[in-house]
Amino acid sequence: PDVLAWRREAGDERLLVLLNVGDEVRACDLRSMRESRGTVVVATGGRRGAVSLDGLELEPLEGLVLLLESATVPGRDTFA
């Protein structure tokens, strides 16, 4: 897989790290996430502000660290 993803939690803070190590745009299937949005903490590209997790695509060699928002999407479980 060209996209590496992991989640880190400490107290009430939840971070999602996404890295596209490939040389093509890659879609991130994050449907199993409870949260639907995050705020960019660190990005290798020009992303800033709030980001929707639905339909999220990463550019080649792009990396993101997102602070996940508390809002949940009905019917979604936690990220496995």
Side-chain angles (χ1 to χ4, degrees):
D2 287 336
V3 176
L4 304 174
W6 63 96
R7 180 180 175 141
R8 291 290 179 251
E9 297 184 20
D12 292 336
E13 187 174 82
R14 293 173 313 285
L15 296 172
L16 177 64
V17 180
L18 299 165
L19 300 172
N20 179 1
V21 297
D23 58 1
E24 296 181 15
V25 173
R26 295 290 186 216
C28 299
D29 183 358
L30 301 170
R31 290 176 290 180
S32 64
M33 296 285 298
R34 260 187 313 195
E35 300 84 3
S36 62
R37 299 185 64 75
T39 301
V40 175
V41 176
V42 176
T44 59
R47 290 190 204 244
R48 304 267 185 272
V51 174
S52 173
L53 299 183
D54 290 332
L56 181 64
E57 291 185 341
L58 294 177
E59 294 297 320
L61 303 175
E62 183 179 13
L64 285 177
V65 177
L66 301 174
L67 177 63
L68 298 173
E69 296 180 7
S70 298
T72 59
V73 176
R76 289 192 178 174
D77 295 325
T78 58
F79 184 65

